[in-house]
Amino acid sequence: MSIVTVLIILLLGTSIGSSDISLIDTLSIILNKTLNISLAGNIPAKDISIIWKLRLPRVLLAFLVGGCLATGGSVVQSVLKNELASPYTLGVSSGASLGAGLIIVTGITIPVVGSFTLPFVGFVFGLMTVFSVILFSTKIDKAMSNNTIILIGMVLSLFVNALLTTLTSFFSNDLKKIALWQMGSFAMRGWTYVNLILPFFLIGMIGVLRFTKEMDILTFGEEQAKAVGVDTYKVKRKLFILCAILTGGSVALSGTIGFVDLIAPHIVRKVFGSNHRYVVPMSFLFGGGLMVTTDLIARTIVAPMELPVGAVTALIGAPFFAYVYFKKGR
């Protein structure tokens, strides 16, 4: 049922836009391009181009980004045993934003990656920030307790954000470009971006699914996990690295988009329980569907203008965050 719902959302996201194309025509175009099935009726070449070259890759990228972020959120919330934690707690977004900011203000292009220098550097900086959090947490607390990780993550995030603020103060002309990148967008993202995120998705998802049993055990506490033979330090470190791959790749290709990683895992646990064999894949599906929906709202609610998708997720996510916090407080 969940898969069918997601497929319907993907189809709606692809058919609705500045020029609406019927669901039947949209499905016919997709089947024609993927399975070489004959088109249903006389569909204009313009509509075929819109669906295949513009909307479908955008919708698929939004789905994969949302799914990766939500999966990362489910991992961090489970490991840190905190419903309000997210991959951004580890400083991924701050690091990626600093890397992107450096490329925007300097205009440097790395010969090997060319036009994808910005997402590449953003990913590298995001990954470096997570490794720094793990390194400092280990130096301060060899057991790498949850409170230590959260504290180090917050401190490093604030420090990196301060560096980015300092950078933008010297290059104020590029402030708008950096701000727009940080708000997140899937505009003008073609099939190349979909292909680029696939390795991050495959490595991250396959890796996380291998640790579902350990995540189940960790929810009962680290002492109990150690008692049954789980090496909590190694498991935490590997899960955080996998989370950085999922989140870093997503942020690098779409910009900083918040709250999906918070909302999706929380709702999934309410519906499907806390068994991570279900939490991880369902978080991916729900997060992907939620991202496609918010992106659809972002590009249609004030058409022909387009809102940053990060702004829409924040408008939805901030009240939800407050609800979770105050409910937890009671």
Side-chain angles (χ1 to χ4, degrees):
M1 183 63 184
S2 299
I3 294 174
V4 173
T5 303
V6 167
L7 289 174
I8 291 170
I9 290 171
L10 289 172
L11 193 58
L12 286 171
T14 308
S15 65
I16 299 172
S18 55
S19 59
D20 291 340
I21 300 169
S22 72
L23 291 174
I24 294 174
D25 286 354
T26 299
L27 184 59
S28 178
I29 292 167
I30 295 171
L31 292 174
N32 173 257
K33 291 291 187 178
T34 55
L35 302 176
N36 202 28
I37 295 174
S38 300
L39 290 169
N42 296 319
I43 302 174
K46 174 178 68 72
D47 290 353
I48 296 173
S49 182
I50 288 172
I51 293 296
W52 187 249
K53 293 182 179 179
L54 297 177
R55 289 195 195 156
L56 186 59
R58 175 174 181 151
V59 166
L60 289 177
L61 179 64
F63 178 73
L64 289 169
V65 166
C68 289
L69 290 174
T71 302
S74 69
V75 170
V76 174
Q77 289 173 14
S78 297
V79 174
L80 298 182
K81 291 184 292 185
N82 190 328
E83 292 178 339
L84 303 178
S86 78
Y88 296 153
T89 306
L90 304 176
V92 178
S93 63
S94 302
S97 295
L98 178 61
L102 284 169
I103 296 302
I104 289 171
V105 300
T106 60
I108 293 172
T109 300
I110 299 173
V112 179
V113 293
S115 60
F116 297 101
T117 296
L118 192 150
F120 173 76
V121 173
F123 171 73
V124 171
F125 270 67
L127 204 61
M128 285 171 56
T129 309
V130 174
F131 276 115
S132 299
V133 170
I134 295 172
L135 179 64
F136 283 117
S137 298
T138 307
K139 293 290 184 183
I140 294 171
D141 179 5
K142 289 185 179 180
M144 212 162 72
S145 66
N146 295 344
N147 288 336
T148 302
I149 295 166
I150 292 171
L151 181 61
I152 296 297
M154 288 177 62
V155 169
L156 274 177
S157 292
L158 290 170
F159 176 73
V160 174
N161 280 329
L163 291 177
L164 180 61
T165 302
T166 304
L167 180 71
T168 53
S169 68
F170 284 111
F171 298 91
S172 56
N173 292 336
D174 296 306
L175 180 60
K176 185 178 179 181
K177 291 181 183 177
I178 295 172
L180 286 173
W181 185 88
Q182 286 182 303
M183 291 181 198
S185 175
F186 299 108
M188 305 307 293
R189 305 289 202 272
W191 286 108
T192 306
Y193 279 80
V194 177
N195 293 331
L196 283 172
I197 200 172
L198 284 175
F200 299 108
F201 157 66
L202 291 172
I203 294 169
M205 283 297 294
I206 293 170
V208 169
L209 287 170
R210 289 181 59 224
F211 289 98
T212 53
K213 187 180 291 184
E214 286 82 355
M215 283 192 283
D216 286 338
I217 297 170
L218 278 170
T219 56
F220 294 103
E222 291 190 34
E223 294 302 320
Q224 288 85 345
K226 289 176 182 176
V228 296
V230 176
D231 189 334
T232 56
Y233 170 73
K234 285 186 178 178
V235 170
K236 276 186 176 182
R237 186 177 60 185
K238 288 177 180 178
L239 283 172
F240 286 148
I241 291 170
L242 289 168
C243 182
I245 290 170
L246 286 167
T247 309
S250 300
V251 171
L253 293 171
S254 64
T256 306
I257 302 171
F259 292 106
V260 172
D261 51 351
L262 172 70
I263 297 170
H266 184 79
I267 293 176
V268 166
R269 286 192 180 91
K270 291 289 185 184
V271 177
F272 296 97
S274 56
N275 188 326
H276 287 87
R277 274 192 310 170
Y278 305 110
V279 169
V280 171
M282 294 312 299
S283 291
F284 177 82
L285 288 176
F286 191 86
L290 181 61
M291 186 68 82
V292 171
T293 304
T294 53
D295 181 53
L296 179 60
I297 294 169
R299 59 187 166 88
T300 57
I301 195 168
V302 289
M305 288 179 59
E306 184 174 318
L307 294 174
V309 68
V312 179
T313 57
L315 288 170
I316 297 170
F320 183 86
F321 187 92
Y323 164 76
V324 172
Y325 179 80
F326 287 117
K327 186 178 180 182
K328 187 179 179 182
R330 289 198 299 269

